[in-house]
Amino acid sequence: MQTAEISRRYIDYFAERGHTVVPSASLVTDDPTLLFTVAGMVPFVPYLTGVVPAPFPRAVDVQKCIRTNDIEEVGKTARHGTFFQMLGNWSFGDYFKEGAIEYAWELLTKSEADGGLGFAERDLWVTVYETDDEAAALWQKIAGLPADRIQRMGKSDNYWHTGQPGPGGPCSEIYFDRGPKYGQEGGPAVDDNRFTEIWNLVFMQELINNVTSKVDFDVVGPLPKKNIDTGMGLERVAFIKQGVENMYETDQVRPVLDRASELSGRRYGADHGDDVRMRIIADHIRSSLMLMSDGVTPSNEGRGYILRRLLRRSIRAMRLLGVEGPTFTDLFAASRDAMKSAYPEVEHDYSRISQLALGEEETFLRTLAGGTTILDLAVSKTKESGKSELAGDTAFLLHDTYGFPIELTLEMAEEAGIAVDRGAFDTLMSEQRARAKADAKSKKKVLADLSVYGEYRAKGETVFTGYTDLQTDSSVLGILVDGVPAQKAVAGQTAEVILAETSLYAESGGQAPDQGKIVGDGYELEVLDVQKPVKGLISHTVKVTRGEVGVGVPATTLVDEDYRRGATQAHSGTHIVHAALREVLGPNAHQSGSFNKAGYLRLDYGWNQALSPETRSEIEEISNNAIRQNLEVVTRELPLDEAKALGAMALFGEKYGDVVRVVDIGGPWSRELCAGTHVSTSAEIGMINIVGESSVGASNRRVESLVGIEAFRQFAAERALVQELTQNLKTRPDQLVDRIGELVQNLKTAEKKIASYEQKALSDRVPALAAKAVRSGDVLVVAESVGPLGSGDELRSLATSVRGQLGDAASVVALAAEVGGKPIAIVATSAAARDTGANAGALAKRMAGVLGGGGGGKPDLAQGGGNDVAAIPAALEAVRAELGH
């Protein structure tokens, strides 16, 4: 049974039983504590916790998930994958344990001919929470399972909670017995490799608090509404139903594995190590494809870093299979073809996705080449020092700074005949992970407990009036001080204020929040921030500048009119620049992120090379022509499917409801889904002045622009600068470039002449310095101070010239000078002097120690320095004394 067919049967079964079919949420979650949607329940958390009222009593979905906690286990086991799909059915205060168990058992055991999944009852086992007698009895009643196939397990296995205070409850898991070939008898309590979990039924029935770990928490009491959260792993069911060994061999993953096998010439199944590498490639390529289809782009932080890691692990695995050239063209195409029936967007958006992937591959292959050079040097130094083990900090530097995988370091070091201090490397990696965990934990603690907003959200959604009104009368629904509900806030305090209505725009869609005030009888609040902590609720962070505000009192929101005007200009300007980019570069120049505020816009877009000055000017001109044409800006609310059918672009990372706001500028020329505030006609934007264009990743660029009055001010400042230059240089504006070029050329000519004179002056000093050579034992020694010089290069040139003047004699030249207020020493030795044991590196280090600094170098030429100019005579004397011995 194909993966897509399993998914279809699941959805159809629950839809026929009154469940609302909910489309998969993006892999990019809006939960601030998570990078990705890591489980099927993530999009439903607001409903499960009661913070947001559920819009339906029961639901069914197939949710895309990414989880990278066990990335090192990918390819090694049958069930670990970074991308997976979770089939879920949900009840929000509707059916509970009995209904969930009945549905699960019927769907699993009903024959394939009757629309079920056709599992044999004899192959299924279940686990329940150790004290959940009700669930155990229901399994016997509904499924007829004997008591010995219902195993009781503790909190670590069969109790679910979010890790935060809130809802929790026992769960019941369904396992499939793969047979004696895969392990010992005794059920999942004995062997969870042979007995594979395929479905988890969570009975959310309790409110918990004081959560310190998975198993350490307090049950406060029952939940007001009992919920059902169930999840069936699609990949796990697929590999069982398809009769293959693991998830990597299923129909949606195997094509990539096979392509990797073909490209490498290695047969899958012939070598365990190669098999693991091919499975890693198959998993990571699919995960990368799905992440990029949801708008994630490779970068060095956050979600982009995870994507980059997946891509680079794939490249590394291909290299370990013997393929050093590019392979993503073939691998991503294979994954696209395997996934497009379930997710058509991967085919529709493939041009952009492949551009990102190929750009990242090209960059990392160059990184590998550079890392190889660095590793070769490190290996040479290790051998020169007589050691047989590459230092762990060197391996960590290669991994952490240059992105060079440890597996490649180990492989290449072994080829060179040395080992790697893996223990030291692992210690450094553990320390880095500990720092990352501590950082993530500290960031998580900063976030307010979202359950505090539940009582306010239960009163309904905050009404946003700011599209049409800058002033709105409302009332205070709630006040939070330090994240805790309060009855009032007084002058000098900072607080969060929840209103029934507001004209103040909350930060979203790349647009910064409004500035303004909230006023009422006897109080005034300065608005510091406006956010949407939970869906449908707007919270205002304010400073009480006058009086006292309390819950229930009337309030009026006042938007700063000048700021809003600038913000609408910038947001509409962002749409115009985006349309201009696509007109010039084509549809692959798709917006991947943006930020705009009054007077400024920043737009990130998919592209893999810098814009030429001519292209940048063309985009700027198209944008300003659109402004000059005074195009009408039309906003409409439409069903999402209808909006997309009209060609409205949905921007990656944004969340859209069933009804969306469509913003047209000039009709279809610029048509995007957008909840931001906009001008009425394009002429109101005033002006676009592109001030920056830069790289933000291998396949991502960034345009920055000033907008409106800020754009004008920038031009005015540049005009004033041109006027000042023309006056000072006594030329006309149209001749300014030629005049400055002439001056630059004259300056270069003068600098060459000065350098020539300085070089001659140095050369003239060589004979006199050579004449000061004094024999000390077997060598001639010149140890002199030459006074102030312009650079260390001059001193080096002087020392080597004096050494040359002394010919083949055994000679040591030690010169010191003051450069930029600090002492510098150079020591040069001839070959004959080195034969006697003289070493420039050791002598330079000796001088530097006297000068209060450090130094060293090669035996023939070395440099040192310090901070004490007055110590130069003593440093020279130290050299004489050293050679005198």
Side-chain angles (χ1 to χ4, degrees):
M1 188 181 294
Q2 296 292 288
T3 303
E5 175 62 14
I6 297 169
S7 177
R8 185 192 65 78
R9 288 178 181 233
Y10 188 91
I11 293 292
D12 287 350
Y13 175 85
F14 284 100
E16 290 168 1
R17 287 155 180 81
H19 290 66
T20 299
V21 178
V22 178
S24 174
S26 170
L27 288 168
V28 179
T29 176
D30 52 7
D31 185 329
T33 66
L34 299 171
L35 285 178
F36 299 116
T37 301
V38 296
M41 48 78 66
V42 170
F44 295 98
V45 166
Y47 308 146
L48 295 170
T49 59
V51 173
V52 177
F56 26 65
R58 49 176 71 182
V60 61
D61 72 333
V62 181
Q63 177 58 50
K64 300 178 291 185
C65 303
I66 285 280
R67 192 180 296 168
T68 57
N69 292 348
D70 299 322
I71 193 170
E72 301 296 340
E73 297 303 313
V74 170
K76 300 175 183 177
T77 72
R79 61 184 185 274
H80 280 100
T82 52
F83 173 83
F84 60 97
Q85 300 157 89
M86 190 59 71
L87 302 164
N89 59 284
W90 312 84
S91 166
F92 307 104
D94 191 2
Y95 61 85
F96 197 50
K97 289 184 185 179
E98 185 168 5
I101 290 172
E102 283 180 349
Y103 288 145
W105 189 254
E106 182 182 23
L107 176 58
L108 282 173
T109 59
K110 182 186 286 189
S111 71
E112 292 184 15
D114 293 329
L117 296 178
F119 280 90
E121 295 184 11
R122 65 177 180 275
D123 293 330
L124 301 177
W125 290 60
V126 300
T127 62
V128 298
Y129 184 50
E130 55 191 358
T131 62
D132 194 352
D133 297 334
E134 180 186 4
L138 285 169
W139 277 115
Q140 288 182 302
K141 170 189 169 185
I142 294 168
L145 284 173
D148 61 355
R149 295 230 313 270
I150 304 171
Q151 297 186 323
R152 295 177 182 253
M153 302 178 79
K155 289 180 180 178
S156 61
D157 294 296
N158 279 70
Y159 194 97
W160 177 92
H161 58 81
T162 65
Q164 301 284 330
C171 61
S172 181
E173 297 173 331
I174 306 173
Y175 288 79
F176 174 78
D177 181 2
R178 301 175 72 197
K181 174 184 175 183
Y182 297 95
Q184 58 185 317
E185 296 181 2
V190 174
D191 189 337
D192 65 356
N193 183 48
R194 169 176 169 170
F195 297 88
T196 299
E197 178 199 338
I198 57 175
W199 202 332
N200 187 13
L201 288 70
V202 177
F203 310 129
M204 211 172 297
Q205 63 190 46
E206 295 168 336
L207 185 65
I208 66 171
N209 206 340
N210 301 322
V211 183
T212 59
S213 72
K214 169 73 173 169
V215 298
D216 190 8
F217 54 85
D218 296 331
V219 176
V220 179
L223 282 177
K225 284 186 177 182
K226 296 179 178 180
N227 301 321
I228 286 293
D229 158 11
T230 83
M232 183 166 76
L234 180 55
E235 280 75 15
R236 294 189 184 187
V237 174
F239 86 70
I240 292 169
K241 294 301 295 180
Q242 292 173 23
V244 296
E245 291 295 308
N246 51 61
M247 61 168 287
Y248 314 103
E249 298 175 16
T250 60
D251 60 300
Q252 288 188 344
V253 189
R254 181 67 188 245
V256 183
L257 188 153
D258 288 339
R259 194 71 189 103
S261 173
E262 293 168 10
L263 292 170
S264 65
R266 310 277 182 98
R267 183 175 64 83
Y268 182 66
D271 178 84
H272 175 71
D274 286 349
D275 289 353
V276 170
R277 293 172 188 127
M278 290 182 208
R279 292 196 287 259
I280 288 171
I281 293 161
D283 172 84
H284 287 7
I285 291 294
R286 182 171 77 142
S287 297
S288 300
L289 175 79
M290 300 308 297
L291 281 171
M292 288 188 283
S293 74
D294 273 354
V296 181
T297 58
S299 70
N300 286 328
E301 58 185 25
R303 299 179 178 97
Y305 175 75
I306 299 297
L307 171 59
R308 174 162 285 168
R309 187 181 180 200
L310 292 169
L311 292 168
R312 291 186 169 190
R313 279 173 58 87
S314 303
I315 296 169
R316 180 260 300 168
M318 285 301 300
R319 184 182 175 108
L320 293 177
L321 288 172
V323 182
E324 298 190 3
T327 59
F328 277 5
T329 297
D330 296 287
L331 297 175
F332 271 87
S335 189
R336 172 202 62 198
D337 292 343
M339 296 300 294
K340 65 185 181 183
S341 62
Y343 301 98
E345 61 268 25
V346 301
E347 181 174 33
H348 299 155
D349 203 27
Y350 188 70
S351 177
R352 181 191 63 84
I353 293 170
S354 62
Q355 183 181 33
L356 284 172
L358 296 180
E360 184 68 14
E361 181 180 40
E362 180 183 353
T363 299
F364 187 51
L365 287 175
R366 288 198 302 267
T367 296
L368 284 177
T372 301
T373 301
I374 294 166
L375 180 58
D376 287 344
L377 289 172
V379 167
S380 297
K381 288 183 178 180
T382 301
K383 288 183 172 181
E384 287 174 7
S385 67
K387 298 178 181 178
S388 61
E389 191 174 63
L390 186 73
D393 56 356
T394 301
F396 181 76
L397 175 72
L398 283 164
H399 169 84
D400 192 52
T401 304
Y402 298 96
F404 207 66
I406 182 61
E407 290 86 354
L408 276 181
T409 301
L410 291 168
E411 177 193 22
M412 296 175 67
E414 183 181 0
E415 290 173 356
I418 66 172
V420 176
D421 187 348
R422 186 63 189 266
F425 172 85
D426 289 341
T427 297
L428 290 167
M429 284 296 294
S430 296
E431 291 173 355
Q432 184 191 61
R433 291 191 188 103
R435 287 193 298 270
K437 286 181 179 178
D439 182 55
K441 189 175 182 181
S442 67
K443 289 178 179 175
K444 190 172 182 179
K445 284 183 177 178
V446 169
L447 298 166
D449 179 2
L450 297 183
S451 64
V452 76
Y453 299 105
E455 65 173 285
Y456 310 123
R457 181 61 181 82
K459 297 176 183 178
E461 295 191 17
T462 307
V463 177
F464 176 63
T465 63
Y467 290 132
T468 56
D469 301 315
L470 299 184
Q471 176 176 327
T472 291
D473 293 330
S474 186
S475 60
V476 178
L477 295 181
I479 297 173
L480 301 173
V481 177
D482 296 328
V484 177
Q487 288 301 306
K488 65 180 180 180
V490 300
Q493 280 189 309
T494 298
E496 283 185 73
V497 173
I498 314 293
L499 304 176
E501 301 88 14
T502 183
S503 56
L504 291 153
Y505 183 82
E507 181 174 8
S508 59
Q511 182 175 330
D514 272 335
Q515 295 179 3
K517 297 179 180 180
I518 301 173
V519 299
D521 186 15
Y523 69 86
E524 184 174 295
L525 314 177
E526 178 189 356
V527 176
L528 306 177
D529 194 9
V530 191
Q531 294 291 331
K532 297 177 179 178
V534 297
K535 184 179 180 182
L537 190 75
I538 295 177
S539 172
H540 311 77
T541 300
V542 301
K543 182 175 183 180
V544 184
T545 55
R546 180 174 60 85
E548 175 184 297
V549 59
V551 175
V553 303
T556 299
T557 58
L558 303 172
V559 178
D560 183 317
E561 189 172 347
D562 287 340
Y563 185 87
R564 170 65 76 82
R565 182 182 301 109
T568 59
Q569 289 173 322
H571 205 150
S572 297
T574 304
H575 286 219
I576 280 183
V577 172
H578 187 203
L581 277 166
R582 291 170 64 81
E583 181 175 324
V584 173
L585 303 178
N588 283 344
H590 196 293
Q591 179 178 326
S592 57
S594 69
F595 175 73
N596 50 76
K597 62 179 181 179
Y600 170 85
L601 71 84
R602 181 184 76 213
L603 186 148
D604 296 346
Y605 62 101
W607 203 247
N608 58 6
Q609 59 186 10
L611 299 182
S612 67
E614 295 76 17
T615 301
R616 177 170 153 172
S617 294
E618 183 181 4
I619 292 166
E620 189 175 59
E621 183 173 354
I622 290 172
S623 298
N624 283 298
N625 277 339
I627 292 171
R628 189 169 63 88
Q629 291 168 19
N630 199 26
L631 302 173
E632 185 178 11
V633 179
V634 177
T635 60
R636 295 172 286 169
E637 287 195 348
L638 298 171
L640 179 60
D641 291 341
E642 185 179 338
K644 288 185 175 181
L646 287 172
M649 280 187 291
L651 304 183
F652 297 120
E654 290 298 310
K655 309 296 185 296
Y656 301 103
D658 295 333
V659 177
V660 293
R661 193 163 179 263
V662 180
V663 178
D664 291 354
I665 303 179
W669 182 68
S670 171
R671 178 170 288 161
E672 299 187 15
L673 304 183
C674 181
T677 62
H678 289 273
V679 297
S680 299
T681 64
S682 62
E684 294 176 31
I685 296 171
M687 184 185 298
I688 293 289
N689 176 9
I690 296 178
V691 294
E693 196 275 339
S694 59
S695 170
V696 287
S699 299
N700 236 23
R701 306 291 300 179
R702 171 172 292 172
V703 165
E704 295 179 271
S705 177
L706 298 177
V707 186
I709 191 65
E710 293 300 326
F712 169 76
R713 286 171 179 158
Q714 176 70 12
F715 281 126
E718 291 174 353
R719 180 180 61 191
L721 178 62
V722 169
Q723 288 176 340
E724 184 176 353
L725 287 171
T726 56
Q727 290 172 2
N728 289 339
L729 299 177
K730 295 180 172 49
T731 188
R732 297 196 308 269
D734 60 339
Q735 296 177 341
L736 189 58
V737 172
D738 292 339
R739 178 68 177 130
I740 291 175
E742 180 185 337
L743 290 173
V744 170
Q745 186 58 49
N746 291 342
L747 180 60
K748 288 181 179 178
T749 301
E751 287 174 343
K752 286 182 179 179
K753 288 182 179 179
I754 291 170
S756 176
Y757 292 143
E758 288 176 344
Q759 184 60 44
K760 185 176 185 306
L762 283 175
S763 298
D764 290 345
R765 299 182 68 177
V766 171
L769 286 168
K772 293 184 178 182
V774 176
R775 182 164 295 280
S776 178
D778 295 330
V779 298
L780 291 174
V781 179
V782 177
E784 297 291 331
S785 172
V786 298
L789 287 179
S791 69
D793 289 340
E794 291 182 5
L795 184 61
R796 187 178 295 105
S797 175
L798 194 56
T800 54
S801 296
V802 173
R803 180 180 62 183
Q805 185 78 21
L806 295 173
D808 295 332
S811 61
V812 174
V813 179
L815 301 182
E818 180 183 344
V819 177
K822 293 188 175 182
I824 289 184
I826 298 287
V827 180
T829 61
S830 67
R834 292 193 293 278
D835 289 341
T836 70
N839 185 304
L843 292 170
K845 187 174 183 179
R846 179 79 176 87
M847 291 183 72
V850 178
L851 295 171
K858 296 181 179 179
D860 62 326
L861 187 65
Q863 178 175 326
N867 297 304
D868 188 1
V869 174
I872 286 178
L876 294 169
E877 187 56 38
V879 170
R880 296 187 191 102
E882 189 81 21
L883 293 171
H885 291 113

